[in-house]
Amino acid sequence: MLEPKMYESDTRPDWCPGCGDFGVLAALKDALIKSGKKPHEVVIVSGIGCSSNLPGYIRAYGFHGLHGRPVPVAVGIKTANPNLTVIATAGDGDEYGIGFNHVVHAARRNDDIKLIVMNNEIYGLTTGQLSPTSRLGQKTKTSPDGSIIYPLKPLPTILGAGGTFIARTFSGDPKHFSWVIQEALNHRGFALIDAISPCVTWHNIYDEVKKLFYKLEDRGYKPDDEHEAYKAMSDPEGIPIGIFYRREDKPSFQERLAEQNLGKWPVHNVSPLPKNTVEELLYEFS
């Protein structure tokens, strides 16, 4: 039987008190347990940023890599061993800026990975510079007079690229967040979860989000129509959260590859290594 302590890491988060990323971490652990995923079946990949420290705070396999590159690493892992559950975690600067081209093409291929982007509309780790989702007029260290650049709208972009699961949720509502992750884990292919995760130090938007957000499912919304999804994503008055669009009839890239390769994979028939061999490998690469 799975228990929460199975995902507890010995490393404590170094995030600022009140950081939205605490809610993301709690929701992710809850979703993995409720989905019946065991820690050795899960790989969490990240790039660079406050949010990208997350793999160190959860007891599963992890890969902390280069800035903007969690998606290609995650795709490589999933393609080599499709039996694993592969989740990429990133911030808006990491994945909507530096690595956004990878996100677009992962959506186009329908790679069977799940991507959680902790979106705080600013570069927090480097102390408050303009990010791709910063607002028009937003004052930051690199836009002291207010940004004159229109923000990127990642969700409609991924919808247009052929994304098959597109959602938004809020770290201040871990129960809803956990539900969205569970739905993404059950999805056949690429899933993007845009996670509103406020930075309490450089751009605190908690009060605004709490005032404006509403849940799509509470309004009877059905995430099966592309045009309705675009309209919902473009709400100028409120902040809708929930699943905007979901399509299950499109095979994932890994399913197509299996069909082409007659089910043969780069990694298969994995056998456990002797304990001393594992320890030698960890020592060599530590």
Side-chain angles (χ1 to χ4, degrees):
M1 181 178 176
L2 289 174
E3 298 177 357
K5 65 181 181 182
M6 296 175 71
Y7 276 100
E8 288 298 324
S9 168
D10 294 331
T11 305
R12 299 292 96 188
D14 61 356
W15 296 320
C16 300
C19 174
D21 294 350
F22 283 102
V24 180
L25 179 62
L28 179 57
K29 290 177 181 177
D30 186 66
L32 289 168
I33 291 167
K34 289 179 176 174
S35 297
K37 304 290 183 183
K38 299 174 183 175
H40 71 276
E41 299 170 337
V42 177
V43 184
I44 300 175
V45 184
S46 70
I48 298 296
C50 295
S51 56
S52 290
N53 289 337
L54 188 145
Y57 308 143
I58 185 169
R59 187 170 175 268
Y61 287 111
F63 188 101
H64 192 174
L66 298 176
H67 211 347
R69 307 294 178 243
V71 165
V73 174
V75 170
I77 293 170
K78 185 66 181 182
T79 304
N81 188 350
N83 292 322
L84 294 170
T85 294
V86 184
I87 302 166
T89 61
D92 47 294
D94 193 42
E95 210 59 301
Y96 291 157
I98 297 166
F100 195 53
N101 59 329
H102 298 300
V103 183
V104 170
H105 291 290
R108 177 175 65 87
R109 291 189 300 263
N110 200 28
D111 281 300
D112 191 12
I113 65 168
K114 319 307 169 191
L115 172 62
I116 301 173
V117 180
M118 287 163 256
N119 186 356
N120 56 20
E121 303 177 354
I122 203 162
Y123 278 89
L125 181 67
T126 49
T127 70
Q129 294 83 18
L130 202 69
S131 93
T133 54
S134 295
R135 306 172 186 194
L136 192 67
Q138 184 175 326
K139 293 184 178 181
T140 72
K141 280 190 172 181
T142 49
S143 58
D145 295 325
S147 173
I148 57 173
I149 307 172
Y150 290 98
L152 176 73
K153 296 182 178 180
L155 302 189
T157 305
I158 295 305
L159 181 64
T164 54
F165 185 103
I166 304 170
R168 178 193 291 139
T169 186
F170 173 39
S171 63
D173 191 340
K175 186 177 179 181
H176 182 269
F177 206 136
S178 172
W179 171 72
V180 171
I181 297 173
Q182 291 173 60
E183 293 295 309
L185 292 174
N186 290 328
H187 176 64
R188 180 191 190 191
F190 181 77
L192 170 63
I193 301 174
D194 180 69
I196 302 172
S197 182
C199 173
V200 294
T201 301
W202 301 106
H203 184 54
N204 193 342
I205 54 174
Y206 264 117
D207 289 343
E208 177 185 342
V209 176
K210 287 179 180 177
K211 182 180 178 182
L212 295 177
F213 89 96
Y214 62 89
K215 297 175 182 175
L216 290 168
E217 57 273 18
D218 288 348
R219 299 188 176 189
Y221 178 83
K222 303 295 183 185
D224 56 0
D225 185 292
E226 190 171 340
H227 297 288
E228 291 299 318
Y230 184 81
K231 287 168 59 179
M233 293 171 184
S234 306
D235 183 348
E237 304 295 335
I239 303 176
I241 65 172
I243 301 170
F244 290 97
Y245 186 64
R246 173 162 51 190
R247 174 183 171 183
E248 299 287 352
D249 64 327
K250 186 177 178 181
S252 70
F253 172 76
Q254 285 68 28
E255 287 177 317
R256 291 184 183 275
L257 198 61
E259 183 178 353
Q260 188 177 63
N261 293 345
L262 302 177
K264 295 180 181 178
W265 297 97
V267 176
H268 57 93
N269 297 327
V270 179
S271 300
L273 290 171
K275 183 180 178 182
N276 59 339
T277 304
V278 174
E279 290 176 345
E280 289 170 5
L281 285 170
L282 290 173
Y283 177 78
E284 182 177 351
F285 291 100
S286 64

